[in-house]
Amino acid sequence: MPSARFAIVILAAGKGTRLKSNRAKVLHCAGGRPLVEHVVLACQPLGATEIHVVVGHQADEVRAVVEPFGAKTILQQPQLGTGHALLTARAALEAAGVAEVLVLPGDSPLIRTETLAALLRAHRADGAAATVLTATLEAPQGYGRILRNPDGTVAAIVEEKALSAEQRTLREVNSSIYVFSLPQLWSALGQVRPENIHCEIYLTDAIELLHRSGHTVRAECAADAREILGCNTRAELAEVDRIFRQRKCADVMAAGVTIYLPETVLIDPDVQVGTDTVIEPGVQLLGATRVGTNCWIGTGSVLVDTVVEDEVLIQQNCRISGSRLGRGSRVGPFAHLRDGAELRPGARVGNYVEVKKSLLAEGVKAMHLTYLGDATIGPHTNIGAGTITCNYDGVRKHPTTIGERVFVGSGTELVAPVTVGDGAYIAAGSTITDPVPADALAIARARQVNKKGWAAARRARLSQPVGTEHRKTSVDKRKPPTQTAKRNHRERKRAPAARKAGSRHRKSPRG
Ligand code: UD1
Ligand code: MG
């Protein structure tokens, strides 16, 4: 890395009119980070005396992005062009007593540290007043073009809108990344006038003024032209994002991970993936996600800030955020784990199961159509299909604690706060409101009533010709039971043996 005293200035005050956005351009994200954050990160390892970011539009939001990385900010108000932005930093640079300044735009996030280090080395080796990083683009539209002198030094930079017909064929463009020697820059910049279509003070005009006043301006052409791409439009933003994603997937694959159709996979820059993990098409691994070795992540799954230990199977279309999946656990398809869901080794969560802020111990199974919120579930407990922890009373959340080796029958509602002891058994369809002791059977549901012949009678009634179906069938004709009928019914239920005996007795004389 270069060792001379130098400062870095990142220009990030512009609005980004061409994005047609309410958000300042440098706050837009590509490759999982705000544009300006990428630029600061690329600059950090260079060892500059200080990094300044010129802010203007949404200054506070831009400060909040760059200050955590140690960058200082300078306010440009109003924003009168790239040259004016750099002039705003003059006092700070003079106070720091630096001999050189590396200038970058905040909207070109693909630039790499090595390219910047090479630019600084080239500048020092040549003793030039300014060195411009350039690139040769197939489609140079929108960029300032480099005009070279016969000896290869730079004579001027001409902005797109000021190009002559002949200059339009030039494909070497200005990256807006420069190294300037001080104080030569200040005298040139002081002479720039806002004589252009936008009435702005263009930093590019300082190049021609340096050349005219006898200074040498060098151009260094970037080996990888994509590094200098800017994000002035939504289309450019999408292209830059695509390149970041491609880079990250290439790095992950190089480290021993299989990615099918990598062009459909989004992996954020800080994500780590272990060897022999397989990533299917359309997966997104975002934020601070870490995935272990030998895992499988199915199509359409999105993981955000989640830790996945080794040997985990995540089937298709799961959304998992702020969670931890223990070794050998299995999830999905179509599962939703969030906000502190933790699966201990070997736990399994199946389709249409949502788990929030809950611990599922070793070997727990919740395989179908279930909501577990604010729950702690002991080892090897089985959660039946359609189980719901009713954790919210409309004001507060309450915990559900279930012991180990519990069997929770299908369709159970656990009205929290509630506890279920080890080894207990909950009958299907129960609504559990009270503690269930260990090893108990809890049944909390209405008894079943069977009305014999009811369905057949109804079918018969409905099959009557239209217009006659109002005629009552034997079932409809039944009158509401009188008190006597109810008493008889109760008695019949109480003593079926006696009734049977009576009927035998009646029949026998005839038999
Ligand atoms: C600029 C260059 C162009 C170059 C291109 C490379 C000028 C006049 N043109 O054009 O030659 O090919 O970058 O990407 O410099 N900014 C401020 N204050 C301002 C205006 C802009 O801080 O008053 C910041 C913006 O936030 C942005 C950067 O400067 O991060 C560049 O400005 P932008 O408007 O994107 O310039 P381009 O039109 O891309
Ligand atoms: Mg730009």
Side-chain angles (χ1 to χ4, degrees):
M1 285 292 137
S3 55
R5 274 178 71 78
F6 74 103
I8 295 174
V9 176
I10 299 168
L11 310 181
K15 181 172 190 298
T17 313
R18 287 163 281 178
L19 281 180
K20 298 191 174 68
S21 172
N22 292 323
R23 202 170 346 139
K25 173 164 57 178
V26 298
L27 294 173
H28 282 258
C29 285
R33 289 196 170 111
L35 302 180
V36 68
E37 188 178 316
H38 285 288
V39 181
V40 173
L41 286 173
C43 289
Q44 256 187 338
L46 293 169
T49 311
E50 45 201 33
I51 300 177
H52 296 284
V53 179
V54 179
V55 297
H57 277 280
Q58 296 184 329
D60 287 343
E61 288 88 338
V62 179
R63 277 192 194 102
V65 171
V66 302
E67 284 179 352
F69 299 97
K72 299 175 180 174
T73 58
I74 299 168
L75 185 65
Q76 182 200 13
Q77 201 67 272
Q79 296 83 35
L80 302 177
T82 47
H84 177 255
L86 188 51
L87 275 171
T88 313
R90 180 174 181 168
L93 296 179
E94 286 180 341
V98 293
E100 295 160 346
V101 57
L102 168 64
V103 179
L104 304 97
D107 67 341
S108 300
L110 286 161
I111 193 68
R112 290 184 193 265
T113 306
E114 308 84 72
T115 308
L116 297 174
L119 184 71
L120 281 158
R121 279 196 300 271
H123 180 79
R124 284 164 196 162
D126 280 356
T131 305
V132 188
L133 181 69
T134 67
T136 305
L137 297 182
E138 288 297 322
Q141 292 73 24
Y143 292 87
R145 308 296 209 283
I146 303 292
L147 303 191
R148 296 241 194 186
N149 294 308
D151 66 357
T153 60
V154 178
I157 298 174
V158 184
E159 289 306 295
E160 170 88 15
K161 285 184 177 153
L163 289 171
S164 65
E166 196 186 331
Q167 289 165 339
R168 242 166 237 288
T169 61
L170 296 171
R171 288 173 40 234
E172 188 181 19
V173 304
N174 170 28
S175 68
S176 256
I177 299 175
Y178 323 79
V179 186
F180 290 105
S181 295
L182 303 178
Q184 295 93 314
L185 167 70
W186 303 130
S187 52
L189 208 45
Q191 295 170 52
V192 175
R193 296 287 165 260
E195 287 159 4
N196 51 63
I197 186 169
H198 293 118
C199 301
E200 288 186 351
I201 296 176
Y202 283 173
L203 180 52
T204 43
D205 288 350
I207 297 296
E208 186 171 356
L209 287 162
L210 279 170
H211 167 63
R212 289 229 186 120
S213 54
H215 295 293
T216 302
V217 178
R218 300 263 175 211
E220 279 291 309
C221 197
D224 180 356
R226 297 181 309 173
E227 281 188 44
I228 69 103
L229 295 178
C231 299
N232 300 300
T233 63
R234 303 276 178 170
E236 288 174 354
L237 188 68
E239 174 62 5
V240 165
D241 181 69
R242 192 186 63 77
I243 294 167
F244 269 122
R245 303 306 184 178
Q246 199 179 43
R247 268 188 191 174
K248 180 69 183 183
C249 281
D251 290 349
V252 170
M253 289 191 286
V257 173
T258 295
I259 305 181
Y260 293 113
L261 296 183
E263 63 275 22
T264 66
V265 169
L266 298 193
I267 306 182
D268 272 358
D270 295 332
V271 170
Q272 297 169 20
V273 188
T275 53
D276 287 323
T277 282
V278 176
I279 298 173
E280 288 188 349
V283 165
Q284 298 186 27
L285 305 178
L286 307 178
T289 293
R290 279 189 285 127
V291 180
T293 61
N294 279 316
C295 295
W296 188 289
I297 307 178
T299 289
S301 290
V302 178
L303 277 62
V304 187
D305 298 333
T306 286
V307 176
V308 179
E309 295 178 3
D310 300 339
E311 318 270 347
V312 172
L313 169 63
I314 299 171
Q315 301 204 58
Q316 293 75 22
N317 296 304
C318 295
R319 159 131 194 140
I320 307 173
S321 58
S323 298
R324 185 177 190 99
L325 309 188
R327 188 187 178 90
S329 55
R330 289 165 166 238
V331 178
F334 299 99
H336 184 191
L337 276 58
R338 61 185 177 95
D339 305 337
E342 182 172 350
L343 269 51
R344 291 278 165 82
R348 293 176 64 176
V349 165
N351 42 202
Y352 304 106
V353 174
E354 178 179 352
V355 183
K356 187 224 64 165
K357 209 173 168 188
S358 292
L359 172 72
L360 277 60
E362 296 75 24
V364 167
K365 285 187 197 163
M367 299 304 287
H368 327 269
L369 302 157
T370 285
Y371 172 59
L372 301 170
D374 303 293
T376 306
I377 301 167
H380 305 290
T381 281
N382 188 84
I383 305 290
T387 296
I388 291 178
T389 53
C390 311
N391 59 330
Y392 186 48
D393 63 9
V395 182
R396 276 184 295 258
K397 302 284 172 64
H398 301 283
T400 298
T401 306
I402 303 176
E404 61 183 85
R405 295 187 190 280
V406 171
F407 181 90
V408 178
S410 298
T412 296
E413 287 163 356
L414 296 146
V415 181
V418 72
T419 58
V420 182
D422 292 345
Y425 197 107
I426 298 177
S430 292
T431 298
I432 301 296
T433 53
D434 299 323
V436 179
D439 296 318
L441 165 66
I443 309 179
R445 63 188 186 210
R447 273 194 181 277
Q448 184 170 328
V449 174
N450 287 343
K451 297 188 177 180
K452 281 192 181 160
W454 184 93
R458 178 173 177 272
R459 273 196 302 277
R461 173 164 52 88
L462 293 178
S463 65
Q464 305 270 327
V466 179
T468 62
E469 72 275 24
H470 66 275
R471 272 186 247 138
K472 291 192 170 173
T473 64
S474 59
V475 169
D476 297 325
K477 278 183 208 153
R478 276 195 315 219
K479 291 186 181 121
T482 60
Q483 287 303 319
T484 316
K486 279 184 189 167
R487 195 168 51 245
N488 289 346
H489 176 72
R490 276 201 301 274
E491 277 167 11
R492 271 203 304 279
K493 273 184 91 178
R494 221 178 288 136
R499 275 192 290 110
K500 273 188 194 161
S503 72
R504 266 203 307 275
H505 179 72
R506 272 202 309 277
K507 280 179 184 170
S508 61
R510 268 188 262 162

